[in-house]
Amino acid sequence: MIDLYTATTPNGWKASVALEELELPYEVRAINLGENQQKEETYLELNPNGRIPTIVDRDADDFAVFESGAILIYLAEKTGRLMPTDTKGRSRVIQWLMFQMGGVGPMMGQANVFFRYFPEKIQPAIDRYQNESRRLFEVLERRLSDHEWLAGDFSIADIANWCWVRSHGWSGVSVEGLEGVQRWLDAIAQRPACQRGVEVPTRPVRADDEKATEEFIRKARSMIQK
Ligand SMILES: N[C@@H](CCC(=O)N[C@@H](CS)C(=O)NCC(=O)O)C(=O)O
């Protein structure tokens, strides 16, 4: 059994989508980011960075893993699935995983902060993060225009990137004209395990639910100011 400490966000979904795809039994421990539970001392013992997600593998002496990319690699290696074991195949997956961890995630994350949550509208900062996110989407397009998946078969690299790119509308970044990216987004969205994974720990707020969206933004705003 695996304990999953998570919240309804792209980095959290990466872990729940992988657990669902791998059919590993897990228990969800929802972390309330608005109440700053991720900064509590007991949680910091598992995740020194004070962020979600974290897993604790109860079948491996309560081994704790933080950083979503490291969680994906751990789960893939534990099961021998979603990542090849030969050196080159494994490297290809890790390259596209690192591309998400060092690029797509941080840039879209900052686009969200400046476009949605920051109390002042600083247009050059919004433009910078949205343009850089779009540039990274174009890098994905170059790959996906003639490859079904990012690195060989469907892998943790697809999971990591999909969990972020699927919420491009929230970041205010268009996927218009990126036909390979759109095809890939739709193909992954049709996988039942991926559909289940992005409803953990709760269903995301719907864009047309104004009240719930306002409340979500209020909590996110208080979090970035702490
Ligand atoms: N590099 C980390 C980033 C994790 C991260 O930024 N998580 C966000 C949610 S997507 C979080 O916990 N935010 C709470 C906070 O900033 O206090 C990972 O990939 O696990």
Side-chain angles (χ1 to χ4, degrees):
M1 179 66 73
I2 287 177
D3 290 335
L4 168 65
Y5 295 80
T6 195
T8 304
T9 77
N11 285 322
W13 295 330
K14 285 190 251 173
S16 44
V17 164
L19 286 162
E20 290 287 342
E21 280 284 344
L22 294 167
E23 296 168 290
L24 285 169
Y26 67 102
E27 255 173 38
V28 177
R29 311 234 183 266
I31 296 289
N32 188 328
L33 299 179
E35 286 177 12
N36 238 14
Q37 286 176 344
Q38 70 279 18
K39 299 293 189 288
E40 287 173 8
E41 202 47 48
T42 47
Y43 185 74
L44 291 177
E45 275 168 28
L46 303 174
N47 183 330
N49 196 26
R51 295 197 160 196
I52 62 94
T54 304
I55 59 166
V56 175
D57 189 348
R58 289 204 240 149
D59 302 326
D61 304 317
D62 289 345
F63 186 66
V65 188
F66 77 106
E67 281 296 319
S68 57
I71 291 173
L72 292 177
I73 294 172
Y74 179 81
L75 294 175
E77 289 185 335
K78 181 181 167 77
T79 54
R81 291 172 55 199
L82 295 178
M83 180 171 69
T85 49
D86 67 287
T87 306
K88 286 183 185 165
R90 185 175 181 276
S91 170
R92 280 187 201 104
V93 168
I94 291 180
Q95 289 169 50
W96 286 104
L97 174 62
M98 295 298 164
F99 171 82
Q100 182 282 307
M101 291 296 292
V104 173
M107 292 305 120
M108 288 184 76
Q110 293 306 314
N112 291 346
V113 166
F114 288 103
F115 182 55
R116 296 277 180 187
Y117 315 138
F118 211 65
E120 293 156 54
K121 285 277 164 251
I122 306 170
Q123 199 56 44
I126 296 172
D127 292 345
R128 161 72 188 156
Y129 291 117
Q130 288 182 337
N131 292 343
E132 183 60 5
S133 300
R134 170 73 193 198
R135 189 191 67 79
L136 295 168
F137 290 1
E138 288 167 10
V139 176
L140 290 173
E141 176 63 20
R142 212 180 150 91
R143 180 74 177 173
L144 292 168
S145 61
D146 58 0
H147 289 80
E148 186 177 8
W149 307 113
L150 286 171
D153 294 335
F154 177 75
S155 72
I156 54 172
D158 296 293
I159 292 177
N161 283 280
W162 179 72
C163 285
W164 273 97
V165 180
R166 69 187 291 273
S167 47
H168 64 90
W170 186 250
S171 314
V173 184
S174 162
V175 291
E176 228 182 282
L178 307 180
E179 278 161 30
V181 169
Q182 289 180 23
R183 171 200 50 77
W184 167 86
L185 281 173
D186 293 345
I188 303 179
Q190 277 163 30
R191 296 174 75 95
C194 294
Q195 292 170 2
R196 289 193 298 276
V198 292
E199 300 214 332
V200 174
T202 53
R203 222 169 241 190
V205 168
R206 286 177 32 171
D208 58 0
D209 185 340
E210 276 179 32
K211 221 169 154 215
T213 304
E214 249 172 54
E215 177 61 10
F216 180 84
I217 291 177
R218 192 189 60 74
K219 280 191 186 152
R221 211 163 255 165
S222 80
M223 204 174 70
I224 62 159
Q225 288 172 312
K226 270 176 187 149

